[in-house]
């Protein structure tokens, strides 16, 4: 048993945080008590007085093979993919390189306070296996999937529906549900690089095996025009995914910027979740997601870094851009980052907040280096999300284990 002392904040409610002084975590990494007074139980006191303790950050959209491809300025999404990203992803055919970057990727995430990440791997089965191995070793929670493309990309990165099914079965049967911490996501890159047949096959195998699905939706106007040219029978970009069966409660779509109300309704009815990636959207000049319209439609919104189009691994920096994209209180921003992420994964009964019975994923924040401490939680959190970054993270815990710092 361990008792953590500090300024503990949790964001179950988007309009006001809960605050405590002590958090007791049992040897299985579960939170057993939260209180203002020191609890009368035996256990080692871990004193973080002067620090802030927040729920672990959940990044619901990030690309592992793009870790070293950040900040590549380009004219458009499609040009950026061809010029920088596809060549970078080809390098993951080399297992040694894949291991080196995977190791760096998960340790960097933990250093930044990210305790759960939803990850696109490359198009390679072996590199995806390696990503799972490195995620396992790091102790992080992750949902990972091998990227699927069968058109409009370089030959080396293309698959076929048959090969895709084989790859998914092989990797998912090893890793989906591992230690309750690692999960598989079927990962068609986006409609521009997938035939109907590939997307249908992907949706089917995901349903059969109970896997997550992740993809991109309506990021840029040029991309949407391309999708409508490729699938002229579809009524909209969202309709392409609906027809292929890819939309469901375990599906996360990134961006979802240029949507009609009808598309929002389709997504909400399917229970599909949104990964809002504001830093990426500003970087590629994709547009600004309308948070209010999404919430009016009943959609669950979470936050993604979208590294490498997004330049920042630090979710504090991504929250700053979320605020620039849509006016919101700091409580709301941290609520989307933590509870929103947990809901996107259907894991809100296990992670996403510091509550009795949940698993103890948390981040120790030193408010001083950039942001500065303040008694008023709204001022403290505003400074953290507008000025904060990796330098404010002094330790990261997953399931009660200290993994960074
Ligand atoms: Zn992305």
């Amino acid at each position: 048993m361990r008792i953590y002392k500090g300024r503990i904040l949790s964001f179950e409610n988007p309009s006001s945080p809960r605050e405590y002084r002590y958090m007791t975590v049992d040897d299985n990494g579960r939170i057993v008590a939260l209180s203002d007074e020191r609890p009368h139980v035996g256990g080692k006191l871990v004193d973080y007085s002067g620090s802030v303790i927040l729920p672990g950050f959940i990044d619901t959209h990030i690309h592992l093979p793009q870790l070293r491809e950040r900040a590549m300025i380009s004219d458009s999404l499609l040009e950026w993919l061809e010029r920088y990203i596809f060549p970078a992803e080809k390098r993951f055919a080399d297992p040694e390189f894949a291991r080196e970057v995977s190791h760096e990727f998960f340790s960097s995430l933990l250093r930044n306070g990210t305790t759960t990440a939803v990850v696109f791997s490359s198009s390679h089965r072996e590199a995806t296996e390696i990503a799972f191995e490195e995620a396992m070793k790091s102790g992080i929670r992750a949902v990972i999937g091998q990227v699927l493309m069968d058109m409009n990309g370089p030959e080396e990165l293309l698959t076929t529906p048959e090969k895709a099914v084989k790859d998914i079965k092989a990797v998912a049967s090893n890793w989906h549900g591992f230690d309750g911490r690692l999960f598989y996501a079927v990962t068609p890159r986006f409609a521009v690089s997938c035939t109907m047949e590939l997307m249908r096959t992907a949706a089917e195998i995901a349903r059969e095996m109970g896997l997550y699905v992740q993809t991109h939706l309506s990021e840029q106007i040029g991309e949407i025009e391309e999708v409508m040219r490729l699938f002229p029978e579809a009524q909209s970009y969202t309709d392409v995914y609906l027809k292929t069966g890819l939309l469901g409660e375990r599906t996360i779509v990134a961006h979802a910027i240029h949507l009609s109300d009808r598309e929002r309704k389709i997504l909400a009815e399917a229970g599909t979740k949104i990964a809002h990636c504001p830093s990426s959207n500003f970087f590629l000049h994709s547009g600004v997601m309308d948070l209010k319209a999404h919430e009016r439609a009943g959609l669950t919104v979470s936050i993604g870094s979208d590294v490498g189009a997004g330049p920042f691994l630090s979710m504090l920096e991504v929250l700053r851009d979320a605020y620039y994209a849509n006016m919101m209180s700091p409580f709301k921003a941290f609520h989307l980052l933590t509870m929103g992420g947990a809901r996107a994964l259907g894991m809100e009964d296990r992670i996403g907040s510091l509550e009795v019975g949940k698993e103890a994923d948390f981040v120790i924040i030193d408010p001083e280096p950039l942001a500065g401490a303040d008694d008023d939680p709204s001022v403290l959190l505003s400074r953290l999300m507008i000025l904060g970054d990796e330098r404010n993270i002094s330790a990261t815990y997953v399931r009660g284990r200290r993994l960074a710092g």
Side-chain angles (χ1 to χ4, degrees), residues 30 108 140 150 176 188 358 400:
R30 203 168 288 275
S108 305
I140 202 169
D150 68 344
H176 186 63
K358 286 202 180 181

Side-chain angles (χ1 to χ4, degrees), residues 93-401:
D94 170 5
E96 236 169 88
F97 181 73
R99 189 166 302 279
E100 179 191 316
V101 179
S102 296
H103 178 79
E104 181 188 344
F105 179 78
F106 292 111
S107 57
S108 305
L109 285 178
L110 287 165
R111 261 203 322 280
N112 277 280
T114 296
T115 52
T116 301
V118 185
V119 181
F120 279 53
S121 172
S122 67
S123 307
H124 310 92
R125 169 161 145 190
E126 193 174 1
T128 307
E129 278 276 1
I130 290 168
F132 272 104
E133 285 166 22
E134 291 301 319
M136 174 195 68
K137 286 187 213 158
S138 77
I140 202 169
R141 282 178 212 276
V143 178
I144 303 172
Q146 177 181 341
V147 168
L148 306 175
M149 307 165 64
D150 68 344
M151 63 175 186
N152 292 328
E155 197 57 41
E156 304 96 297
L157 297 182
L158 300 185
T159 188
T160 62
E162 301 73 43
K163 183 172 177 303
V165 167
K166 264 193 211 147
D167 287 349
I168 291 166
K169 277 191 176 159
V171 180
S173 58
N174 282 343
W175 292 103
H176 186 63
F178 182 91
D179 190 29
R181 200 159 60 69
L182 302 177
F183 297 90
Y184 194 94
V186 170
T187 309
R189 183 186 284 276
F190 64 160
V192 174
S193 54
C194 300
T195 60
M196 278 301 221
E197 197 196 345
L198 179 64
M199 289 189 277
R200 282 209 180 97
T201 310
E204 232 173 78
I205 187 84
R207 244 194 324 274
E208 236 176 79
M209 297 184 73
L211 309 175
Y212 287 98
V213 172
Q214 59 180 347
T215 189
H216 298 92
L217 171 65
S218 289
E219 182 175 1
Q220 291 201 349
I221 300 293
E223 169 209 11
I224 296 168
E225 287 168 357
E226 186 61 11
V227 171
M228 298 319 291
R229 194 183 66 75
L230 291 165
F231 304 97
E233 71 291 354
Q235 285 173 9
S236 65
Y237 195 161
T238 303
D239 189 42
V240 174
Y241 291 151
L242 178 70
K243 283 206 164 80
T244 53
L246 280 170
L247 301 180
E249 287 184 359
R250 307 200 89 189
T251 301
I252 300 178
V253 295
H255 308 302
I257 299 173
H258 310 282
L259 294 185
S260 65
D261 284 341
R262 158 121 190 92
E263 289 179 279
R264 287 192 184 89
K265 193 160 172 265
I266 292 172
L267 294 168
E269 281 174 3
T272 291
K273 315 298 197 298
I274 309 294
H276 173 36
C277 307
S279 303
S280 161
N281 300 156
F282 284 133
F283 179 77
L284 289 177
H285 290 263
S286 301
V288 174
M289 191 202 80
D290 186 342
L291 178 62
K292 282 214 169 77
H294 282 15
E295 291 188 331
R296 267 200 308 273
L299 287 165
T300 296
V301 177
S302 60
I303 308 284
S305 65
D306 195 24
V307 160
F312 311 121
L313 287 167
S314 167
M315 295 309 281
L316 294 174
E317 295 181 274
V318 178
L319 280 195
R320 179 191 62 213
D321 288 335
Y323 168 75
Y324 290 150
N326 288 276
M327 171 75 92
M328 68 179 91
S329 76
F331 303 149
K332 167 85 178 194
F334 279 94
H335 173 79
L336 293 179
L337 175 61
T338 56
M339 283 304 294
R343 285 199 183 115
L345 293 167
M347 292 185 190
E348 62 270 35
D349 54 337
R350 293 174 52 201
I351 57 171
S353 61
L354 302 175
E355 289 181 85
V356 170
K358 286 202 180 181
E359 297 179 29
D361 291 8
F362 56 97
V363 187
I364 310 296
I365 307 255
D366 177 359
E368 285 306 333
L370 287 163
D374 197 283
D375 279 349
D376 181 343
S378 139
V379 174
L380 170 81
L381 294 165
S382 292
R383 284 185 181 155
L384 254 188
M385 65 182 261
I386 305 299
L387 302 171
D389 61 23
E390 184 180 343
R391 285 168 282 186
N392 293 93
I393 310 295
S394 44
T396 304
Y397 288 75
V398 173
R399 215 182 256 166
R401 274 180 65 210

